[in-house]
Amino acid sequence: MYWPFFRSKQEEMIALKELGSHLGSNLVVPIIKPHDATSRVEGQISRVLQAGLRTALIVNTNEGSPVPSIAQIMAMENNLTNAYPNQIFPTLEVRPGITAADVSGFLNTYSGRTQVFVHRAHTLNAAIFPSSDAIHIFESHKVSPHFISSFSASRRVILRDGFKKQSVNGDYPSVSYFDDLAYSYCAHGYDGFGDFSAIGDVPYNKGGGQPSHVALHLTEPNQNNTFHCRHFVSAVPPATTDVQTKYFDALAQLIGHTGSPGVGPFSTLGVSDYCKNHGAGTFPGLGSPKRWSTKHHIQLVHSVLTASFAVPWI
């Protein structure tokens, strides 16, 4: 099974909403870390659930401006669970600063529910967590192999960031290695895997200024059962060119690679969105491309899982 990790950014939530009804299985369970507990964010997550997806909702977020309280997120989780029974798995992100008392409180609050733990760079004792009847997600290289082995009776998922984020868009190479987990997670002893899509593990922020380059990103299968990520970076002069022109320059490169309509691994809804935009010739802003690349990546991973006859276990 595939457990991609998302913040509750608008384009990510729209991507999940638009893609959910097209997956046709329960193989994809997005992890959502909210940055807000407003009715707007609750509505966005509601539409993801309405599309048929199930989600692992982190109730103890530490992101946002301001950061919502755990009580606010728990209230949102309760509203969503009442509206969409059995579609939300309450989730605790176990990171530095989380205590044994926090874990105990979470266990008591969600007793009788399928509980999910995302283990991220902490040193808590394995004995305080349920060793069975829970789902444990381990960020790669952030907890010890010995700690992971303590949960052999539980479903175990490995989380790894395959996206090689650069500090500025102009530094992206034309292609970079992404990951092989879609093909190898079982061989590594896991029941599922997760990543941060073609976005990377980027904490929530309110956005920045105008980019020197526009970079569009698409994952694709490569030889030896691996994924690569293609980076289509605008080549027009960065200092004197407007962002719209930079975008269309990068988009032309992308379409030249995928074809229009996209073929093979690029016959996805996300690439179709890019193709439609190329045909229309309208500048969509820089948020929509993140949505389209996310849709492409999730659908591509889902196709690999279905081709390997993977079945949902929850």
Side-chain angles (χ1 to χ4, degrees):
M1 291 183 67
Y2 177 45
W3 299 71
F5 191 110
F6 296 103
R7 275 71 181 184
S8 55
K9 298 175 184 176
Q10 176 174 291
E11 295 297 340
E12 298 172 354
M13 296 300 96
I14 295 175
L16 294 172
K17 180 201 72 170
E18 293 181 347
L19 189 60
S21 62
H22 296 276
L23 296 179
S25 74
N26 283 321
L27 288 171
V28 178
V29 181
I31 305 163
I32 298 178
K33 184 176 183 178
H35 71 277
D36 203 333
T38 61
S39 58
R40 181 181 63 84
V41 170
E42 183 175 324
Q44 290 172 342
I45 299 174
S46 176
R47 287 185 282 276
V48 172
L49 299 169
Q50 190 175 19
L53 286 173
R54 300 173 300 164
T55 68
L57 184 65
I58 291 175
V59 297
N60 63 324
T61 185
N62 62 343
E63 297 181 28
S65 182
V67 176
S69 69
I70 190 169
Q72 290 173 310
I73 299 297
M74 284 181 167
M76 182 172 70
E77 188 281 330
N78 184 65
N79 293 340
L80 292 169
T81 293
N82 287 337
Y84 303 94
N86 304 316
Q87 284 185 245
I88 293 184
F89 303 118
T91 302
L92 188 73
E93 184 180 57
V94 191
R95 56 183 183 263
I98 299 301
T99 66
D102 295 326
V103 175
S104 178
F106 175 82
L107 290 170
N108 290 333
T109 299
Y110 295 106
S111 176
R113 301 272 300 276
T114 298
Q115 300 162 336
V116 180
F117 298 88
V118 179
H119 299 278
R120 308 190 74 185
H122 70 85
T123 57
L124 294 176
N125 194 303
I128 70 173
F129 299 94
S131 59
S132 60
D133 299 323
I135 299 168
H136 291 277
I137 300 174
F138 306 97
E139 186 174 10
S140 181
H141 305 303
K142 299 295 184 179
V143 291
S144 72
H146 178 72
F147 180 87
I148 295 173
S149 69
S150 301
F151 302 97
S152 58
S154 293
R155 293 293 187 176
R156 301 185 299 180
V157 176
I158 182 171
L159 174 66
R160 192 157 69 193
D161 188 1
F163 186 75
K164 309 301 186 291
K165 186 168 179 59
Q166 303 297 315
S167 57
V168 295
N169 286 342
D171 288 345
Y172 282 104
S174 60
V175 63
S176 61
Y177 175 74
F178 188 83
D179 213 333
D180 66 351
L181 284 178
Y183 303 95
S184 66
Y185 70 97
C186 287
H188 291 303
Y190 292 96
D191 301 291
F193 68 99
D195 58 29
F196 297 87
S197 187
I199 298 171
D201 184 14
V202 181
Y204 171 79
N205 61 71
K206 291 188 175 182
Q210 294 297 308
S212 61
H213 298 74
V214 169
L216 307 176
H217 313 283
L218 284 183
T219 51
E220 65 178 4
N222 194 51
Q223 60 186 358
N224 301 321
N225 289 340
T226 62
F227 273 19
H228 279 182
C229 190
R230 294 278 177 179
H231 309 284
F232 306 96
V233 181
S234 59
V236 293
T240 59
T241 310
D242 62 87
V243 68
Q244 292 94 328
T245 301
K246 295 173 185 177
Y247 168 74
F248 286 118
D249 180 69
L251 179 62
Q253 297 176 46
L254 183 150
I255 296 299
H257 184 71
T258 64
S260 184
V263 296
F266 300 115
S267 57
T268 61
L269 294 173
V271 170
S272 177
D273 290 333
Y274 274 119
C275 293
K276 290 174 184 175
N277 179 237
H278 182 256
T282 56
F283 178 56
L286 297 179
S288 294
K290 291 183 174 66
R291 181 200 323 168
W292 302 336
S293 291
T294 297
K295 288 170 65 176
H296 164 75
H297 180 70
I298 295 173
Q299 191 173 6
L300 184 61
V301 170
H302 182 263
S303 70
V304 170
L305 290 178
T306 54
S308 67
F309 304 103
V311 295
W313 37 257
I314 187 69

